Amino acid sequence: MRSFWMLAVALTLLVCGITAQVKNYRRPTKVTTQCCKSVSRSKIPHEIRAYKRQNALHPCVEAIVFYTNMGNICTNPKAKWIAEKIKGLKEIH
């Protein structure tokens, strides 16, 4: 009976070890995040093609990202001019 329990414990440890190795293998070594880490309240002087909403998830902040011919611009979603600016624009998902 004792050898049965020793075998059961050994098999459990073996399965846990194999599972841990598989999980470590699939884990990325370096995760890069491209997002807005700060926002502007200034109006955008460039032509806006589209926008997307960005949720806050550290290190990213809550933002409206406008896509322009001059690049992406991160803006404060609480700025007064934002709602008017996004009317008629197509949101990117």
Short mmCIF file of all heavy atoms in Angstrom, two decimals, residues 34-36 38-39 44 48 50-55 61-68 71-77 82 86 89-92:
data_model
loop_
_atom_site.label_atom_id
_atom_site.label_comp_id
_atom_site.label_asym_id
_atom_site.label_seq_id
_atom_site.Cartn_x
_atom_site.Cartn_y
_atom_site.Cartn_z
N GLN A 34 2.39 49.01 -27.25
CA GLN A 34 2.31 50.28 -27.95
C GLN A 34 0.95 50.88 -27.66
O GLN A 34 -0.06 50.38 -28.13
CB GLN A 34 2.51 50.09 -29.45
CG GLN A 34 3.91 49.66 -29.80
CD GLN A 34 4.10 49.59 -31.30
OE1 GLN A 34 3.17 49.65 -32.07
NE2 GLN A 34 5.34 49.44 -31.70
N CYS A 35 0.97 51.91 -26.85
CA CYS A 35 -0.27 52.55 -26.47
C CYS A 35 0.03 53.96 -25.99
O CYS A 35 1.18 54.34 -25.85
CB CYS A 35 -0.96 51.76 -25.36
SG CYS A 35 -0.01 51.71 -23.83
N CYS A 36 -1.03 54.71 -25.73
CA CYS A 36 -0.87 56.07 -25.21
C CYS A 36 -0.57 55.99 -23.72
O CYS A 36 -1.33 55.40 -22.96
CB CYS A 36 -2.15 56.86 -25.43
SG CYS A 36 -2.61 57.03 -27.15
N SER A 38 0.31 58.99 -22.25
CA SER A 38 -0.07 60.34 -21.85
C SER A 38 -0.98 60.89 -22.94
O SER A 38 -1.01 60.37 -24.05
CB SER A 38 1.16 61.24 -21.68
OG SER A 38 1.84 61.37 -22.90
N VAL A 39 -1.73 61.93 -22.61
CA VAL A 39 -2.70 62.50 -23.55
C VAL A 39 -2.57 64.02 -23.61
O VAL A 39 -2.00 64.64 -22.72
CB VAL A 39 -4.15 62.13 -23.19
CG1 VAL A 39 -4.40 60.65 -23.34
CG2 VAL A 39 -4.50 62.57 -21.78
N ILE A 44 -6.58 69.26 -32.54
CA ILE A 44 -5.70 68.70 -33.56
C ILE A 44 -5.83 69.53 -34.84
O ILE A 44 -6.91 69.63 -35.41
CB ILE A 44 -6.06 67.24 -33.84
CG1 ILE A 44 -5.88 66.43 -32.56
CG2 ILE A 44 -5.21 66.66 -34.97
CD1 ILE A 44 -6.37 65.02 -32.65
N ILE A 48 -8.09 64.42 -39.74
CA ILE A 48 -8.25 63.17 -39.02
C ILE A 48 -8.95 62.16 -39.93
O ILE A 48 -10.00 62.44 -40.50
CB ILE A 48 -9.07 63.37 -37.73
CG1 ILE A 48 -8.32 64.34 -36.80
CG2 ILE A 48 -9.32 62.04 -37.03
CD1 ILE A 48 -9.14 64.78 -35.61
N ALA A 50 -9.41 58.65 -38.91
CA ALA A 50 -10.15 57.69 -38.08
C ALA A 50 -9.72 57.86 -36.63
O ALA A 50 -8.83 58.66 -36.33
CB ALA A 50 -9.86 56.28 -38.55
N TYR A 51 -10.35 57.09 -35.74
CA TYR A 51 -10.00 57.14 -34.33
C TYR A 51 -10.28 55.80 -33.69
O TYR A 51 -10.95 54.94 -34.27
CB TYR A 51 -10.78 58.24 -33.60
CG TYR A 51 -12.22 57.89 -33.34
CD1 TYR A 51 -12.62 57.43 -32.09
CD2 TYR A 51 -13.19 58.00 -34.33
CE1 TYR A 51 -13.94 57.09 -31.84
CE2 TYR A 51 -14.50 57.67 -34.09
CZ TYR A 51 -14.88 57.22 -32.85
OH TYR A 51 -16.18 56.88 -32.60
N LYS A 52 -9.76 55.62 -32.49
CA LYS A 52 -10.12 54.46 -31.67
C LYS A 52 -10.09 54.87 -30.21
O LYS A 52 -9.42 55.82 -29.83
CB LYS A 52 -9.19 53.27 -31.91
CG LYS A 52 -7.84 53.38 -31.24
CD LYS A 52 -7.08 52.07 -31.37
CE LYS A 52 -5.78 52.18 -30.59
NZ LYS A 52 -5.04 50.95 -30.58
N ARG A 53 -10.84 54.15 -29.42
CA ARG A 53 -10.86 54.36 -27.97
C ARG A 53 -9.87 53.40 -27.33
O ARG A 53 -9.81 52.24 -27.70
CB ARG A 53 -12.25 54.09 -27.41
CG ARG A 53 -13.29 55.02 -27.94
CD ARG A 53 -14.69 54.61 -27.46
NE ARG A 53 -15.69 55.34 -28.20
CZ ARG A 53 -16.13 56.54 -27.88
NH1 ARG A 53 -15.63 57.15 -26.82
NH2 ARG A 53 -17.04 57.15 -28.60
N GLN A 54 -9.11 53.92 -26.40
CA GLN A 54 -8.14 53.09 -25.68
C GLN A 54 -8.54 53.08 -24.21
O GLN A 54 -8.70 54.13 -23.60
CB GLN A 54 -6.73 53.66 -25.84
CG GLN A 54 -5.70 52.95 -24.98
CD GLN A 54 -4.35 53.58 -25.11
OE1 GLN A 54 -3.70 53.43 -26.12
NE2 GLN A 54 -3.95 54.32 -24.08
N ASN A 55 -8.69 51.90 -23.66
CA ASN A 55 -9.00 51.76 -22.24
C ASN A 55 -7.73 51.86 -21.41
O ASN A 55 -6.64 51.54 -21.89
CB ASN A 55 -9.68 50.42 -21.97
CG ASN A 55 -11.03 50.34 -22.63
OD1 ASN A 55 -11.75 51.32 -22.70
ND2 ASN A 55 -11.37 49.18 -23.13
N VAL A 61 -3.07 54.67 -20.71
CA VAL A 61 -4.07 55.53 -20.08
C VAL A 61 -5.31 55.57 -20.95
O VAL A 61 -5.27 55.24 -22.13
CB VAL A 61 -3.52 56.96 -19.87
CG1 VAL A 61 -2.35 56.95 -18.91
CG2 VAL A 61 -3.14 57.60 -21.19
N GLU A 62 -6.43 55.99 -20.37
CA GLU A 62 -7.66 56.15 -21.14
C GLU A 62 -7.43 57.28 -22.15
O GLU A 62 -6.95 58.35 -21.79
CB GLU A 62 -8.82 56.50 -20.22
CG GLU A 62 -10.14 56.59 -20.94
CD GLU A 62 -11.31 56.88 -20.01
OE1 GLU A 62 -11.10 56.98 -18.79
OE2 GLU A 62 -12.41 57.02 -20.52
N ALA A 63 -7.77 57.00 -23.42
CA ALA A 63 -7.49 57.99 -24.45
C ALA A 63 -8.36 57.76 -25.67
O ALA A 63 -8.92 56.68 -25.87
CB ALA A 63 -6.02 57.91 -24.87
N ILE A 64 -8.48 58.81 -26.48
CA ILE A 64 -9.00 58.71 -27.84
C ILE A 64 -7.78 58.90 -28.73
O ILE A 64 -7.08 59.91 -28.62
CB ILE A 64 -10.05 59.79 -28.15
CG1 ILE A 64 -11.25 59.68 -27.20
CG2 ILE A 64 -10.48 59.71 -29.60
CD1 ILE A 64 -12.11 58.45 -27.39
N VAL A 65 -7.50 57.92 -29.58
CA VAL A 65 -6.35 57.99 -30.47
C VAL A 65 -6.86 58.40 -31.85
O VAL A 65 -7.67 57.68 -32.45
CB VAL A 65 -5.61 56.64 -30.57
CG1 VAL A 65 -4.38 56.77 -31.45
CG2 VAL A 65 -5.25 56.12 -29.19
N PHE A 66 -6.43 59.56 -32.31
CA PHE A 66 -6.81 60.03 -33.64
C PHE A 66 -5.71 59.65 -34.62
O PHE A 66 -4.53 59.84 -34.34
CB PHE A 66 -7.02 61.54 -33.64
CG PHE A 66 -8.29 61.97 -32.98
CD1 PHE A 66 -8.27 62.66 -31.77
CD2 PHE A 66 -9.53 61.71 -33.56
CE1 PHE A 66 -9.44 63.06 -31.16
CE2 PHE A 66 -10.70 62.11 -32.95
CZ PHE A 66 -10.66 62.78 -31.75
N TYR A 67 -6.11 59.13 -35.77
CA TYR A 67 -5.18 58.77 -36.83
C TYR A 67 -5.19 59.88 -37.87
O TYR A 67 -6.22 60.16 -38.46
CB TYR A 67 -5.57 57.44 -37.46
CG TYR A 67 -5.46 56.30 -36.48
CD1 TYR A 67 -6.55 55.90 -35.71
CD2 TYR A 67 -4.25 55.65 -36.28
CE1 TYR A 67 -6.44 54.88 -34.80
CE2 TYR A 67 -4.13 54.62 -35.36
CZ TYR A 67 -5.23 54.25 -34.63
OH TYR A 67 -5.12 53.23 -33.71
N THR A 68 -4.05 60.53 -38.05
CA THR A 68 -3.93 61.63 -39.00
C THR A 68 -2.84 61.31 -40.01
O THR A 68 -2.11 60.32 -39.87
CB THR A 68 -3.55 62.95 -38.28
OG1 THR A 68 -2.20 62.87 -37.85
CG2 THR A 68 -4.45 63.22 -37.08
N GLY A 71 0.54 61.25 -38.30
CA GLY A 71 0.78 60.26 -37.26
C GLY A 71 -0.39 60.13 -36.30
O GLY A 71 -1.43 60.76 -36.48
N ASN A 72 -0.22 59.32 -35.29
CA ASN A 72 -1.26 59.10 -34.29
C ASN A 72 -1.13 60.12 -33.17
O ASN A 72 -0.03 60.43 -32.73
CB ASN A 72 -1.15 57.70 -33.71
CG ASN A 72 -1.22 56.63 -34.77
OD1 ASN A 72 -1.66 56.88 -35.89
ND2 ASN A 72 -0.78 55.44 -34.44
N ILE A 73 -2.29 60.61 -32.70
CA ILE A 73 -2.30 61.61 -31.64
C ILE A 73 -3.21 61.13 -30.52
O ILE A 73 -4.38 60.82 -30.75
CB ILE A 73 -2.76 62.98 -32.16
CG1 ILE A 73 -1.83 63.44 -33.29
CG2 ILE A 73 -2.82 63.99 -31.03
CD1 ILE A 73 -2.27 64.68 -33.99
N CYS A 74 -2.67 61.06 -29.32
CA CYS A 74 -3.42 60.63 -28.14
C CYS A 74 -4.06 61.84 -27.47
O CYS A 74 -3.38 62.80 -27.15
CB CYS A 74 -2.48 59.94 -27.15
SG CYS A 74 -1.61 58.53 -27.84
N THR A 75 -5.37 61.77 -27.29
CA THR A 75 -6.08 62.90 -26.70
C THR A 75 -6.89 62.47 -25.48
O THR A 75 -7.25 61.30 -25.34
CB THR A 75 -7.04 63.55 -27.72
OG1 THR A 75 -7.98 62.57 -28.15
CG2 THR A 75 -6.29 64.08 -28.92
N ASN A 76 -7.18 63.44 -24.64
CA ASN A 76 -7.96 63.21 -23.44
C ASN A 76 -9.43 63.04 -23.84
O ASN A 76 -10.03 63.94 -24.41
CB ASN A 76 -7.80 64.39 -22.49
CG ASN A 76 -8.47 64.17 -21.17
OD1 ASN A 76 -9.43 63.42 -21.05
ND2 ASN A 76 -7.94 64.81 -20.14
N PRO A 77 -10.05 61.89 -23.54
CA PRO A 77 -11.44 61.67 -23.92
C PRO A 77 -12.42 62.60 -23.22
O PRO A 77 -13.56 62.75 -23.67
CB PRO A 77 -11.70 60.21 -23.55
CG PRO A 77 -10.66 59.86 -22.57
CD PRO A 77 -9.48 60.76 -22.84
N ILE A 82 -13.74 66.84 -28.10
CA ILE A 82 -13.62 65.48 -28.61
C ILE A 82 -14.93 64.96 -29.21
O ILE A 82 -14.96 64.41 -30.30
CB ILE A 82 -13.13 64.51 -27.50
CG1 ILE A 82 -11.74 64.89 -27.04
CG2 ILE A 82 -13.19 63.07 -27.95
CD1 ILE A 82 -10.64 64.60 -28.03
N ILE A 86 -15.34 63.60 -33.20
CA ILE A 86 -15.50 62.21 -33.63
C ILE A 86 -16.81 61.95 -34.38
O ILE A 86 -16.97 60.88 -34.96
CB ILE A 86 -15.35 61.21 -32.47
CG1 ILE A 86 -16.41 61.38 -31.43
CG2 ILE A 86 -13.97 61.30 -31.87
CD1 ILE A 86 -16.34 60.35 -30.31
N LEU A 89 -16.71 60.36 -37.96
CA LEU A 89 -15.48 59.61 -38.21
C LEU A 89 -15.73 58.12 -38.00
O LEU A 89 -16.59 57.73 -37.21
CB LEU A 89 -14.37 60.06 -37.24
CG LEU A 89 -13.76 61.42 -37.48
CD1 LEU A 89 -12.78 61.74 -36.36
CD2 LEU A 89 -13.07 61.49 -38.81
N LYS A 90 -14.98 57.31 -38.66
CA LYS A 90 -15.12 55.87 -38.55
C LYS A 90 -14.19 55.37 -37.44
O LYS A 90 -13.00 55.65 -37.45
CB LYS A 90 -14.74 55.19 -39.88
CG LYS A 90 -14.97 53.73 -39.90
CD LYS A 90 -14.68 53.18 -41.28
CE LYS A 90 -15.07 51.73 -41.34
NZ LYS A 90 -14.84 51.17 -42.67
N GLU A 91 -14.76 54.61 -36.48
CA GLU A 91 -13.95 54.07 -35.39
C GLU A 91 -13.26 52.80 -35.85
O GLU A 91 -13.86 51.93 -36.47
CB GLU A 91 -14.81 53.78 -34.16
CG GLU A 91 -13.99 53.32 -32.98
CD GLU A 91 -14.81 53.23 -31.69
OE1 GLU A 91 -16.01 53.45 -31.71
OE2 GLU A 91 -14.18 52.93 -30.67
N ILE A 92 -11.97 52.69 -35.52
CA ILE A 92 -11.20 51.49 -35.82
C ILE A 92 -11.30 50.54 -34.65
O ILE A 92 -11.14 50.94 -33.50
CB ILE A 92 -9.71 51.86 -36.07
CG1 ILE A 92 -9.59 52.77 -37.26
CG2 ILE A 92 -8.88 50.61 -36.25
CD1 ILE A 92 -8.19 53.27 -37.49
#
